[in-house]
Every structure is written in C-alpha cells, then in structure tokens.
Amino acid sequence: MTTWTTLTLRVVTPLFSGDDAEGGDPIRVPSIRGALRFWFRAVAAAHGITDLKALWAEEEAVFGSARPERPSRIALRVDSQPATDTDPRPEWAAYPDLRDQRFHGAQYLMGQGLWQRTMKRPYVPPGPDQTFDLKIRFATGRDAEKLNARFMLALWAWLTYGGLGARVRRGFGQLRCADHSGVPLPGKWRHEALGAPTRAESWGVLFTQPIPPAISRMGEHGWTGRPGNVLAEFPVLCPPHWEGRFLAGEALPDWQSALMHAGQEWRAFRVVAEPEEEISKNLRSPEWVNAIHGSSGKYPIAAFGLPVGYYSTSRGEFRASIEPTFQGAKIRRASPVWLRPVWTTDGWRVVTFLFHARLLPDTARLSPGKFGLTIPDLHTISDTWRRWLTDEWRLPEDFYRGQS
C-alpha cells in the first residue's frame, strides 16, 4: 500500500531552475524545501512565533536539520520532470515590434543574469502539459497532526504567493496544484484549496487578511498567537508587516502580457523614486544621475533590495554596483517587493505585495564609499514602500509606447 501523497504541479510562468544551466533536472527537492522553509517562517511568525530561537525550533521540528539525529519528519520526492526550452529568443521575451514597444518589461524582470539580448540559460516554459509530481510522505507518530498541519500552511503559502527557481520575486517560476492522488491530504485539506485564488474578489480578501481563517482552520496546527507591531527582522505574513494590491490597469489576455505590464510598472516606479526629480527620457534613474554622479547622499532605491548594479548596454559592462557591508563583509538583501501574475476569471492581473521588515543592521554601510551614499533611515524606506503601494509618481500611461 502506498504511503505517499502525490500533488501534480503545473508550471504557470517561465521557471529558471538553479541547475538547468548545467543540463540537470530543473525541479529538485532541495530547492522546494528551501522555498517551503521561507514560507514556513512567514506563516509561523504570523501566528506569533517571532523569537528567532523558537522559530528555528519550530522549523527544525518539521523540516529537520543537518544534525543526524534530527531528520525531517516529512519526506519529499519529485517525479516526472517537465521539459526545458533552449530557444535563445523565445517570442515572449523578444521585442515583437520596436515601433510598438520602447521598453520590454519581461526582459527587465529577468535582469542581466538571465537576459542579455538573448536568453542566457534554459528554462521551463509554462503550459498545461508542463507538470511534475511532488510526492509527500507525511509525518506519523507523536505530534504528527500538528507537524503536518504546519507543513500544509507553508505549502499553501508557497503555492499562493511564491514559486520556484530564479527571479521568483519578479513573477517567474509560479506553480499551480492541478491534481492529487495517493494518500489523502491531512486534516480538511483538498488540493483545490492549495494555491492562488481565481477570483479577483478573493484576492481582495487576501490583501487585508493574507492567511484567511478558513485556511488556518484546515488543520490543528496549534499556533494561537499574533505578532506584535515592532518592525520584524524577517518576513511575516500578517498585517501590518505585509501589504498587497493589484497593479493598476485593466485585466490582460495572457501571462506574457502580465509579465510585460509588471516589468514596465516596476521600472516606471524605479525611474521616479524621488518625486521631485524630472523624469529622464533616456530612463536613467535619479539615483544614477544625482547620487552616483552627483552630490546627493539619498539612495531610496535601496528599499527595494541590495546590491543594485548599473549596466551599460552600449559598453556591454557593469558601470557600478552599490552593495551593503556589515562588519567588513559584503551582504545581500533581497527585495521585499514581490510581483505575481495571476489568472482570474476576469483575465490576467498582476498582484504585488511587500514585507515590512528591517532592511539592514544598524551599523551596515553602503559600498563603495566614494559615492557618499548613506543608509536610508526607516522613514525613507517606509515612504518609498508606501508610494509603491499607492501608485504615486508614476510615468504617463503611454510612456513606453513608440520611440519618440
């Protein structure tokens, strides 16, 4: 008799795996575990587990650790890998007509690491037949009901808000649960409840309550607390530490258009991060002009993640990279802003959300020091986030149309 639960997961947006550049399997269990751990911490913190030692103890109980005496109580396995694509200029990533689009949003979302005039690595294209089976063997024995319920909350959050592979925060690598077989899911869970909703109204509910009570009651997870209002050290999937909305604009016909729209809106905001600055027709950001090549020490764009690289397409080289350092070592800070194209019954929309969390340690610095940049304070960071979430100081709607 089988002891495995099988979830068939479908690729919804292009997926760039960490190993597909070397020709290996694009879907790997360690990558899935890493993503589930991130969302486990976010949902646990939303239920009041915000002490770092307590949070690690909860995570280790479900996912195990490197200690041989603490293996994971829940086993994962991947079957039936989806096909990869090696086309260097797929239709969705190349300019359809330069007279119609002066800026390619999907290329901007991929960044120079994935796209430089051509696709730099293989990827998994989305499609109804692009699926793989995630097999789960749930915990048994002592505390099994509690551990399985907590795992399921992390699985739900991962499929609702996250994804797999590179550039997940920019809308790539999204997955949808298409089917279920084998051992039933624990508690009251059904595979139809896993993942992003298909009605715009349902997303409206999530924007104010990212873990609905109905979802939380799917199993006996045993978490009953709530986080405080103090700025968190890590993502917390709960207001006021989390906010979300739809990007402005009408519903779109397909995921390709949604990625284009997401990239154009994201670049539009970054171009005018300081509202008093004049909009540059050549799309050079005010930070490049006024901070790196000027005397301003303001660098609000740091609120969207570090390091920030400046690449010259004409010279084919990086011109500058602004990086944070802490105690003499370079560190990274992932962007707190996520973009997620979602299919709804009204058409494709783009969901954006962000986590309010501490950006950098108090004694961190921005490097190289020759630019005279200072670490943005909490007020500057929060103000930049607020402007993103309220559509303030955006480019004209037709800015990206045509070449004039």
Side-chain angles (χ1 to χ4, degrees), residues 203-223:
W203 273 108
V205 173
L206 293 181
F207 292 153
T208 58
Q209 198 166 35
I211 307 178
I215 292 295
S216 193
R217 290 195 296 265
M218 290 285 190
E220 296 297 327
H221 51 70
W223 287 326

Side-chain angles (χ1 to χ4, degrees), residues 40-59 150 222-228 234-236:
F40 178 89
R41 292 189 290 270
V43 297
H47 288 87
I49 314 299
T50 54
D51 176 78
L52 292 178
K53 289 185 179 180
L55 185 62
W56 166 244
E58 300 276 14
E59 182 180 337
R150 294 176 178 182
W223 287 326
T224 58
R226 299 286 291 176
F234 47 84
V236 179

